[in-house]
Amino acid sequence: MNPSFQEQKLLIYNSLTRKKETFVPLKAPHIGMYVCGPTVYGDTHLGHARPFVTFDLVFRYLTLLGYKVRYVRNITDVGHLENDADEGEDKIAKKARVEALEPMEVVQFYTVQFHQMMDKLNVKRPSIEPHASGHIIEQIEMVKQILDKGFAYEAEGSVYFDVEKYNREHDYGVLSGRKIEDLISNTRELAGQSSKRNPFDFAIWKNAEPAHIMRWPSPWGNGFPGWHMECSAMGCKYLGDQFDIHGGGMDLLFPHHESEIAQSTIANGKAPVRYWMHNNMITINGQKMGKSLGNAMSLMDLFSGNHPLLEKAYSPMTIRFFILQAQYRSTLDFSNEALQAAEKGLKKLLTAAETLSKLTAKKDAQEQGVAKMMQSCFDAMNDDFNSPMVIAQLFDAVRLINSVQDGHSSLNQQELDQIKELFRIFVFEVLGLVSEESGAENDILDGLMQTIIQLRQEARARKDYATSDVIRDQLGALGIVLKDGKEGTSWEQK
RNA sequence: GGUCUCGUGGCCGAGUGGCUAGGCAGCGGUCUGCAAAACCGUGUACAGCGGUUCGAAUCCGCUCGAGACCUCCA
């Protein structure tokens, strides 16, 4: 009973207009969505988790609504400069020299790690995951087109985009709200930029210094593509001149996405993207987390608890839930307290999901408003993917489930089926949460536990509470919690 | 300096003009041999000042505070 997009009015906040707009795809039921992927030269960190979980949510929801989504998320393995001075070198090349590795070895290592981390977070793989290094030809072609149309110029083996000329006919600043006059007064003069006509012009092809390892031949000499080319070229190649959604972190809005619009508009004759979506940052003590700020926390650190700022390890699902508890356009502040709250909340939700599978219906039970909960979840998602509202609704359902379990309420068959559907759709398909139960599937362990529980049960029957409490305490020290319920004792690993 | 965003109860975080967001923590109760879990109840929250309005956390102005972008960054 999955819903169809024809029945839903989906609102998406468009960074271009700074408003929520009704989402109308170019060619329904097909949707093209491009999201800026990671630069694979370092550990995947908490900050990376946010856009990929966010757009995973978007991908999952659009798919649920029956759209055929082609989701493209690139791997940046060339092209980003250490700084934009001419002697700047490719980040990946630099790392490679430091570690005496082949650049592609570094790329491979961190790409694999990135995939592992995303898998742990239950982030679905995109439809296409193109590498920038595999699309050098396409990028060179696009540079040629821009040159042919007269919106770029060659200087000292590099090709620069002529922002001022572009701005005469188009608006360089549509997305970021910047004005070219402000850019003139605010752009820093950096050493080695003498070959640019204007400091705010950006490279679409860079000449490679002799020491630069990552280099490709081009009509302008050996070099590598400029910062923003890969997304323009690969977006166009796989999604066409114009596609529906482009996503990424807010920090990419300027200059990355602004420049992408300019390049693509010239090369293809039309604005590339209809809906621009930007997720906000994760902050740590109120400050943006970032490698350059020295407060980055890798996902491996989080999962292992091995970091000075961490009181304990947090599971991947806890991180996912933590991210989904905030709307994607808000900043999300990290703290141990907040993560521990998320951890407990998630456990409550998933325990209820398990309880739900064992509930039985009662004939003629009163209506409990399950249909309304379902509708509220759709309303929340339709309002710019408001996952915290979905979660709030789900907790109302949790209370209902637990109260049925306790015998304080009851559900008729229809509503029981509906609430199961609610969990299937929203907890598992849309929010993408999965149970992380460990140990329970181990037959030997479970057999042992049943034996122990039975022995303790006999002690309790004799009112030998000293013995029963010793058993419980010692298991507790091993991280096993016993819960005495009406229908016997259950156990779980903490 | 320029552009922009934000400031919600102990913590995280929804909410854009009138109706209990939610989670975590706390407090009281039910259940339990005791716990745990669950359930029930429980909070004079909207940075400050002024304005608009019958009515503002929500709109406008000012003040204070925080952050982002302007350089690679999710």
Side-chain angles (χ1 to χ4, degrees):
Chain A
M1 178 214 88
N2 279 3
S4 147
F5 61 85
Q6 283 97 345
E7 302 153 11
Q8 308 290 331
K9 188 188 172 198
L10 174 61
L11 294 177
I12 294 182
Y13 181 90
N14 191 345
S15 303
L16 266 179
T17 56
R18 296 167 196 226
K19 279 190 299 222
K20 286 181 192 170
E21 297 176 2
T22 304
F23 178 63
V24 183
L26 283 165
K27 294 179 205 111
H30 297 279
I31 290 181
M33 175 161 92
Y34 189 97
V35 172
C36 289
T39 303
V40 281
Y41 69 93
D43 290 330
T44 308
H45 62 83
L46 177 58
H48 287 118
R50 172 94 116 141
F52 305 132
V53 168
T54 296
F55 291 102
D56 187 51
L57 177 77
V58 172
F59 183 36
R60 286 166 177 273
Y61 188 62
L62 293 174
T63 305
L64 175 81
L65 293 185
Y67 288 112
K68 310 281 179 227
V69 187
R70 179 179 294 163
Y71 175 19
V72 179
R73 189 185 66 201
N74 62 294
I75 295 281
T76 296
D77 55 357
V78 290
H80 283 245
L81 297 175
E82 191 67 23
N83 56 56
D84 64 353
D86 276 350
E87 54 273 18
E89 57 185 332
D90 194 293
K91 277 188 173 174
I92 289 156
K94 183 177 184 186
K95 187 91 178 177
R97 282 223 305 269
V98 169
E99 298 182 0
L101 293 169
E102 273 299 317
M104 279 302 161
E105 205 175 353
V106 175
V107 164
Q108 180 71 13
F109 180 83
Y110 289 114
T111 301
V112 167
Q113 188 200 73
F114 172 71
H115 284 151
Q116 287 171 342
M117 294 301 129
M118 291 301 116
D119 287 351
K120 282 182 195 287
L121 289 169
N122 201 29
V123 168
K124 289 193 177 192
R125 297 285 176 98
S127 323
I128 302 176
E129 193 169 48
H131 285 241
S133 63
H135 296 75
I136 301 294
I137 292 167
E138 288 84 349
Q139 295 180 73
I140 289 174
E141 282 307 307
M142 201 168 222
V143 172
K144 279 190 200 162
Q145 285 179 39
I146 296 168
L147 271 171
D148 288 348
K149 293 186 177 168
F151 283 86
Y153 54 91
E154 189 186 346
E156 296 170 21
S158 296
V159 180
Y160 297 100
F161 190 87
D162 190 339
V163 171
E164 197 175 37
K165 179 167 182 184
Y166 174 82
N167 195 58
R168 273 181 239 140
E169 292 172 29
H170 303 84
D171 181 8
Y172 187 76
V174 256
L175 184 64
S176 59
R178 269 158 230 276
K179 294 191 172 56
I180 197 158
E181 305 86 67
D182 299 336
L183 290 174
I184 293 166
S185 54
N186 285 321
T187 306
R188 288 196 314 187
E189 282 294 341
L190 292 168
Q193 288 196 326
S194 50
S195 57
K196 285 188 189 178
R197 286 183 198 162
N198 278 305
F200 47 77
D201 288 347
F202 55 89
I204 53 182
W205 184 266
K206 282 295 277 182
N207 173 48
E209 297 292 310
H212 202 102
I213 315 173
M214 289 194 126
R215 55 204 296 143
W216 289 267
S218 80
W220 317 283
N222 285 336
F224 52 96
W227 324 346
H228 322 300
M229 281 313 298
E230 58 180 283
C231 294
S232 286
M234 298 190 294
C236 176
K237 172 160 183 169
Y238 297 113
L239 299 172
D241 288 354
Q242 200 174 42
F243 53 90
D244 299 296
I245 297 172
H246 189 130
M250 262 181 195
D251 49 349
L252 297 177
L253 213 130
F254 189 88
H256 184 57
H257 291 157
E258 191 72 62
S259 302
E260 220 180 301
I261 290 175
Q263 293 169 352
S264 295
T265 301
I266 292 305
N268 301 324
K270 55 174 100 165
V273 175
R274 307 242 308 187
Y275 301 87
W276 283 92
M277 293 178 68
H278 292 94
N279 64 274
N280 215 318
M281 305 289 103
I282 286 182
T283 58
I284 181 158
N285 298 322
Q287 207 187 24
K288 186 177 117 171
M289 174 180 301
K291 252 184 285 289
S292 46
L293 295 166
N295 62 354
M297 193 176 288
S298 78
L299 288 175
M300 285 194 300
D301 292 342
L302 274 157
F303 300 161
S304 69
N306 182 27
H307 189 284
L309 286 169
L310 294 173
E311 287 168 9
K312 64 188 283 286
Y314 300 97
S315 75
M317 273 308 115
T318 299
I319 303 300
R320 186 176 175 104
F321 188 70
F322 173 66
I323 290 170
L324 292 171
Q325 265 188 316
Q327 210 270 349
Y328 75 92
R329 285 189 292 115
S330 305
T331 54
L332 173 59
D333 200 40
F334 165 91
S335 68
N336 281 284
E337 209 179 354
L339 277 178
Q340 278 161 34
E343 184 176 54
K344 288 190 183 172
L346 174 66
K347 186 180 175 196
K348 188 171 174 177
L349 182 63
L350 291 176
T351 305
E354 215 170 290
T355 306
L356 176 60
S357 65
K358 295 173 199 148
L359 290 186
T360 50
K362 192 179 162 194
K363 252 192 177 171
D364 309 322
Q366 245 185 313
E367 286 277 319
Q368 301 287 351
V370 176
K372 200 178 162 200
M373 290 175 188
M374 179 79 90
Q375 190 53 52
S376 298
C377 284
F378 278 107
D379 290 347
M381 286 304 289
N382 288 338
D383 186 13
D384 198 30
F385 310 96
N386 197 328
S387 51
M389 286 241 303
V390 171
I391 291 170
Q393 278 304 315
L394 289 171
F395 275 109
D396 283 346
V398 166
R399 193 178 308 111
L400 177 58
I401 288 164
N402 286 331
S403 106
V404 170
Q405 167 76 358
D406 282 9
H408 296 130
S409 316
S410 50
L411 284 163
N412 61 38
Q413 191 62 51
Q414 192 199 350
E415 285 208 315
L416 180 62
D417 292 344
Q418 271 180 333
I419 203 167
K420 284 180 178 171
E421 191 69 355
L422 178 75
F423 268 60
R424 180 183 72 77
I425 292 178
F426 284 99
V427 177
F428 301 112
E429 277 191 34
V430 174
L431 298 182
L433 301 171
V434 289
S435 188
E436 293 177 316
E437 291 299 311
S438 58
E441 66 278 5
N442 183 328
D443 287 348
I444 293 175
L445 183 59
D446 197 50
L448 269 170
M449 284 309 303
Q450 291 314 323
T451 306
I452 293 167
I453 285 168
Q454 198 186 329
L455 289 171
R456 177 164 167 275
Q457 228 25 61
E458 285 163 15
R460 291 178 73 207
R462 290 194 306 270
K463 297 202 193 299
D464 178 7
Y465 296 123
T467 302
S468 73
D469 288 352
V470 163
I471 292 171
R472 189 170 61 196
D473 291 347
Q474 294 200 348
L475 287 173
L478 293 170
I480 291 172
V481 181
L482 293 183
K483 294 191 283 192
D484 298 328
K486 275 191 198 119
E487 286 119 43
T489 300
S490 61
W491 67 279
E492 66 181 27
Q493 270 184 311
K494 267 186 88 175

